[in-house]
Amino acid sequence: MSKFRSELIIEENPTKINKEAKIMSLGSGFSSMMAQNLRQYGLDVTSNPFGRIYNPISLFHHIELLGKHAALNESLLTEYEGNWNHFQYNFLRRQSSEVELIENIKAQVQVMQENFKKQEFLMINLGTAYVFRHLESKQVVANCHKAPQELFEKELLTPDKILESFRHIYPQLNHIKNIIFVLSPVMHTKDTITLNCVSKSVLRVAIHQIVNEFPEVKYFPAYELQMNDLRDYRFYERDLLQPNDQAIEYITSKFNEAYFDSKLLDASQEMDTIIQSINSLPYNPQSRDYVFEVNQAISKLKQLDNYLDPKMAVAELEGRLKRE
């Protein structure tokens, strides 16, 4: 029988994620999508505590910071329209004073350093190989925070530079036995599609080099699943740059199949089936039949709590029964 698409077969990971696993997901916006997939099953996931970071140098800097105590570089503080931030961080909430920002960063770092010690799985999601270097400090920044363009120089990283940077921070990862790299399938077209291809190629070669040098480091092919397996604009949002819900659901299901243990995988698939059956019903909390079906679904979800944590899904269904 003829095949009509290039389906990827993903090798199962020897170490599996179970209900008790502690997972940290760092990187670009796609890392948040991966984290949300895990959270829906009640898994313990820490996602981007310092904001979304797109380039590997800044991301590795944060990992190094989590693994050891280091003084905050206050020369990289920046202010724009009364809001303070730091070039190495990408907080969504801006601080109104320099003191408030410094205290916020230090408190967050302290909490996350303790959290980092407990992690079993680390997902590193890379978005772009283009970086902005702060000319005065010579530091690659995580976010320019609308500072004047003349303060920065843009450059394209090389695979060797990324590999070297990972080698530098690797000693901070000795306690984490499961490191998973992901190349974001989201296209960064601000510099044209052509240069996006260059950037993604650099990242993919760098990840290939890292995985070859460090056998315990794995690669999950989210990029290839989007570009080579799905390979159609119907799997993108209307901006034609970001994977849509259908694509994310497919990609994350492949991750689950490769990384979840058998009990968690079976329970997660059963949860998906239960929720999909409710989603197929017309929403009508005034209907006895609808209320009955939702309550039945809630009961079934609660029976899965030996293998995952259904609290989030249960709360969402309970919310559907609340009448205005």
Side-chain angles (χ1 to χ4, degrees):
M1 180 177 179
S2 299
K3 291 187 177 182
F4 296 97
R5 46 188 275 267
S6 303
E7 185 174 0
L8 276 83
I9 305 300
I10 301 172
E11 184 178 352
E12 289 190 19
N13 194 54
T15 306
K16 299 294 187 179
I17 295 172
N18 58 29
K19 179 183 177 181
E20 288 74 32
K22 294 187 179 299
I23 307 160
M24 181 171 282
S25 179
L26 302 176
S28 70
F30 192 74
S31 68
S32 299
M33 301 176 195
M34 297 287 290
Q36 182 56 35
N37 163 63
L38 300 171
R39 283 197 181 118
Q40 70 179 327
Y41 305 119
L43 298 179
D44 185 346
V45 184
T46 301
S47 176
N48 290 328
F50 304 118
R52 295 174 180 177
I53 306 299
Y54 295 87
N55 79 76
I57 302 302
S58 294
L59 189 52
F60 294 162
H61 169 79
H62 284 189
I63 293 173
E64 182 180 25
L65 181 66
L66 290 172
K68 69 178 184 180
H69 295 281
L72 178 68
N73 186 347
E74 297 187 12
S75 70
L76 294 177
L77 294 171
T78 181
E79 181 268 340
Y80 179 76
E81 294 183 347
N83 294 313
W84 286 84
N85 219 307
H86 192 286
F87 288 135
Q88 293 290 20
Y89 300 89
N90 192 22
F91 288 127
L92 297 178
R93 184 175 69 84
R94 305 296 188 258
Q95 282 73 47
S96 59
S97 72
E98 184 176 356
V99 173
E100 181 186 7
L101 172 63
I102 293 173
E103 290 178 350
N104 186 300
I105 292 176
K106 288 182 177 179
Q108 182 78 334
V109 168
Q110 185 175 8
V111 170
M112 283 301 110
Q113 284 179 332
E114 290 303 312
N115 181 290
F116 189 63
K117 296 175 184 177
K118 305 172 185 177
Q119 300 305 312
E120 302 167 65
F121 291 83
L122 176 63
M123 298 172 63
I124 302 175
N125 191 297
L126 305 184
T128 180
Y130 281 102
V131 298
F132 287 90
R133 189 175 298 277
H134 187 239
L135 293 175
E136 182 178 348
S137 66
K138 307 300 182 185
Q139 297 291 311
V140 170
V141 302
N143 193 306
C144 295
H145 296 300
K146 298 184 179 180
Q149 187 175 351
E150 58 267 22
L151 297 180
F152 307 96
E153 180 180 53
K154 187 175 183 179
E155 66 179 75
L156 177 66
L157 297 172
T158 65
D160 287 344
K161 177 65 177 177
I162 297 170
L163 174 61
E164 177 187 347
S165 182
F166 183 77
R167 285 173 179 156
H168 177 73
I169 62 109
Y170 186 72
Q172 310 298 325
L173 301 174
N174 285 338
H175 68 291
I176 299 178
K177 302 305 180 185
N178 299 278
I179 303 169
I180 308 161
F181 273 88
V182 182
L183 177 57
S184 170
V186 179
M187 292 192 288
H188 294 253
T189 58
K190 188 175 181 180
D191 300 300
T192 73
I193 291 177
T194 303
L195 293 182
N196 171 74
C197 291
V198 173
S199 171
K200 297 294 188 183
S201 298
V202 168
L203 294 176
R204 187 63 190 90
V205 171
I207 294 171
H208 179 72
Q209 292 177 333
I210 290 170
V211 170
N212 279 349
E213 184 166 326
F214 301 92
E216 66 277 22
V217 177
K218 308 300 181 184
Y219 173 67
F220 173 68
Y223 182 81
E224 289 83 352
L225 286 168
Q226 180 75 28
M227 298 294 176
N228 301 105
D229 189 340
L230 299 180
R231 199 195 306 176
D232 194 297
Y233 273 111
R234 75 177 185 273
F235 297 111
Y236 285 85
E237 296 286 2
R238 293 188 66 180
D239 63 5
L240 304 182
L241 303 177
Q242 302 188 62
N244 61 17
D245 289 344
Q246 187 177 12
I248 293 169
E249 181 180 340
Y250 178 75
I251 292 170
T252 53
S253 72
K254 291 294 187 181
F255 178 87
N256 299 349
E257 290 170 7
Y259 283 88
F260 283 7
D261 74 7
S262 59
K263 293 180 179 179
L264 176 58
L265 180 61
D266 290 344
S268 66
Q269 292 174 342
E270 186 172 349
M271 174 185 281
D272 292 342
T273 300
I274 294 169
I275 294 174
Q276 286 168 8
S277 68
I278 296 300
N279 288 341
S280 67
L281 299 176
Y283 174 67
N284 184 7
Q286 308 297 329
S287 164
R288 287 185 178 181
D289 289 342
Y290 181 82
V291 172
F292 174 80
E293 292 295 339
V294 172
N295 280 322
Q296 284 288 96
I298 290 172
S299 177
K300 291 177 182 178
L301 288 174
K302 289 180 177 179
Q303 293 174 21
L304 300 175
D305 65 356
N306 286 332
Y307 312 115
L308 49 73
D309 187 345
K311 289 189 182 71
M312 184 183 298
V314 168
E316 197 278 329
L317 290 186
E318 288 176 340
R320 300 189 191 191
L321 299 180
K322 294 179 181 179
R323 297 174 173 86
E324 297 296 334

